[in-house]
Amino acid sequence: MWTPLKALPPYLGGKRKLLGHIFKYLPKPSEAPVFIDAFLGGGSVSLMAKAKGYRVICNDIAQRSYIVGKALIENKSLKLEDSDLLRLFVPADDRSGFIVKNFSPDVLPKKHAEFLDNAMANLSQNGTPKRWLLLLMFIKYILRIRPMGNFGAKTIMHQIADGNWDEMNPNYVKDVINRKIYGHPKQILERIMKQVNRGVFDNGQDNMAYHDDIFKTLDKIDQGDIIYLDPPYAGTGSYEKALSPLDCMLAGAMIQTEPSVFSRDDAFEFLEKLFVASKRFPIWVISYGNVRIDLNQLTDLIKKFKKDVIAEEFKYTHLNSLAGEERKKNNKELLIYARGNR
Ligand SMILES: C[S@@+](CC[C@H](N)C(=O)[O-])C[C@H]1O[C@@H](n2cnc3c(N)ncnc32)[C@H](O)[C@@H]1O
């Protein structure tokens, strides 16, 4: 794997494996300088676009993704140091205990929840730009303990907390050891810090991260050559539900976020609205899942707006397909390049 990608959170719906295909037909930054990543997610496409030298404008409605945008896409040179890690362990007076109270032991073992409460309290006083890097480190930390945002299985957390190793599924035991969940938080952080720092680089451009609903952000952007659209897919589980504990921990409150309009059953209405709002950008790349639409149908929809279309499909696994096991096996990732306005 290209090492800067290790700086990103492992992310449901992430496009790391498709990066080669996504950039395959795109003009170079000298011909098409501004790359818009409308749905940043875990950040892999923006980070690659940044490395290729485009001026990247990225956006996501979720705080968890905006953090990636601020820490790695906008940030040109700031890196974390050992002293930044050590400061997180200084006992904070105003610890809310929010994570321990609400997420331990069901979601996180107490030791990790206590560390995060203390670290978040220290961080709230840290107004420096390093805050974004530290928050990214927390996301990676939480997802390391609960891989890929699987916040469901409570039994294993209780088994870890109680030390009931012999009752635990042997695959989980191996996994716990591999990911050093059992280690001291500092051990875990040191590794994550190195990964995060590897994702920081300057590409000579002023890159920008937005944190809003895509329709509002597109109203604010006046220039763009390429737009990459990777919305949640109709008929798949919502990110807001799957990642709710992570979102609450970052917010420090039990927030309830409505599922994205793009995950809903009437998502195609919004997809079409998205195409209307994107028409002024000359080149489109669109990723979509085949749970509710096939390659031909999606191509026909896009041809209402753009003349020259290349359509491809790949085998891929989507987030919690609602369509059952059989359908999951047939999951495909649809990828479309389009240019030339109608
Ligand atoms: C499929 S993921 C993007 C994955 C990303 N391309 C990657 O490689 O990691 C979809 C993202 O869209 C975001 N999203 C959902 N609804 C949105 C909206 N109305 N405006 C902006 N972002 C939205 C979600 O928060 C999620 O991060």
Side-chain angles (χ1 to χ4, degrees):
M1 193 201 294
W2 178 54
T3 43
L5 288 179
K6 290 198 176 150
L8 304 174
Y11 199 68
L12 297 159
K15 295 298 176 297
R16 291 176 193 203
K17 290 189 185 142
L18 285 180
L19 287 172
H21 297 289
I22 290 168
F23 287 90
K24 192 165 57 181
Y25 300 112
L26 294 181
K28 296 193 179 70
S30 52
E31 296 155 49
V34 181
F35 185 103
I36 303 168
D37 185 2
F39 300 88
L40 174 67
S44 57
V45 176
S46 280
L47 199 66
M48 184 54 93
K50 181 177 174 183
K52 286 183 181 288
Y54 294 99
R55 181 162 95 80
V56 180
I57 300 175
C58 58
N59 173 71
D60 204 288
I61 201 165
Q63 174 75 1
R64 70 186 110 81
S65 297
Y66 180 58
I67 290 168
V68 177
K70 293 298 280 184
L72 299 178
I73 307 303
E74 276 193 8
N75 177 19
K76 297 179 176 190
S77 56
L78 203 63
K79 294 195 180 190
L80 292 170
E81 293 158 34
D82 286 341
S83 54
D84 297 313
L85 292 196
L86 290 175
R87 253 179 243 123
L88 297 173
F89 290 90
V90 175
D93 297 333
D94 54 350
R95 251 173 302 182
S96 67
F98 171 77
I99 298 177
V100 169
K101 220 177 294 157
N102 293 287
F103 296 106
S104 170
D106 283 357
V107 178
L108 297 177
K110 191 151 178 248
K111 171 177 70 176
H112 297 294
E114 279 174 344
F115 159 69
L116 283 166
D117 271 329
N118 191 67
M120 288 296 255
N122 281 324
L123 196 62
S124 65
Q125 286 157 9
N126 184 338
T128 70
K130 276 200 179 165
R131 198 163 182 275
W132 298 110
L133 288 164
L134 291 165
L135 283 169
L136 172 58
M137 214 170 54
F138 292 166
I139 295 177
K140 286 177 68 74
Y141 186 99
I142 294 163
L143 293 180
R144 187 176 181 88
I145 294 166
R146 303 308 313 239
M148 299 302 283
N150 174 5
F151 292 107
K154 292 180 182 171
T155 315
I156 175 148
M157 285 296 133
H158 287 271
Q159 287 167 332
I160 294 174
D162 301 339
N164 289 338
W165 301 100
D166 43 347
E167 283 175 22
M168 214 185 279
N169 175 328
N171 292 328
Y172 282 143
V173 178
K174 263 193 237 154
D175 191 46
V176 167
I177 294 167
N178 282 343
R179 285 184 293 114
K180 298 199 168 60
I181 293 171
Y182 214 60
H184 188 275
K186 183 152 179 298
Q187 244 181 317
I188 302 177
L189 288 173
E190 278 165 353
R191 203 186 146 119
I192 295 179
M193 181 179 82
K194 282 191 194 130
Q195 293 177 333
V196 166
N197 281 343
R198 277 190 207 122
V200 177
F201 59 88
D202 186 359
N203 73 342
Q205 306 285 348
D206 290 325
N207 304 293
M208 262 188 89
Y210 285 92
H211 180 203
D212 213 334
D213 178 79
I214 187 57
F215 294 108
K216 290 194 185 145
T217 296
L218 288 180
D219 275 349
K220 288 181 222 149
I221 299 176
D222 44 41
Q223 199 206 342
D225 300 292
I226 301 167
I227 186 163
Y228 175 58
L229 300 170
D230 184 19
Y233 309 151
T236 59
S238 85
Y239 291 87
E240 294 74 18
K241 198 164 160 223
L243 298 172
S244 164
L246 173 64
D247 292 345
C248 293
M249 288 183 222
L250 291 172
M254 296 305 282
I255 51 169
Q256 268 195 336
T257 315
E258 281 292 304
S260 167
V261 294
F262 294 99
S263 306
R264 285 179 3 192
D265 281 343
D266 57 350
F268 291 112
E269 187 192 310
F270 294 93
L271 195 61
E272 194 150 354
K273 207 174 138 197
L274 183 64
F275 294 157
V276 172
S278 305
K279 197 168 169 194
R280 66 205 151 94
F281 304 116
I283 301 166
W284 293 2
V285 186
I286 298 136
S287 288
Y288 213 74
N290 70 335
V291 176
R292 290 281 159 81
I293 193 167
D294 68 23
L295 194 63
N296 291 334
Q297 289 165 322
L298 185 62
T299 307
D300 288 346
L301 183 59
I302 290 165
K303 279 191 169 164
K304 284 197 205 167
F305 302 90
K306 297 277 181 199
K307 282 189 290 212
D308 306 322
V309 174
I310 304 173
E312 299 181 340
E313 60 182 15
F314 305 90
K315 223 180 138 19
Y316 216 68
T317 310
H318 300 138
L319 164 63
N320 305 330
S321 168
L322 299 178
E325 284 306 315
E326 189 48 40
R327 189 72 189 266
K328 254 190 217 175
K329 271 192 240 150
N330 300 322
N331 265 184
K332 299 230 170 64
E333 182 73 25
L334 314 177
L335 190 64
I336 300 208
Y337 309 82
R339 58 197 303 168
N341 274 5
R342 287 222 174 257

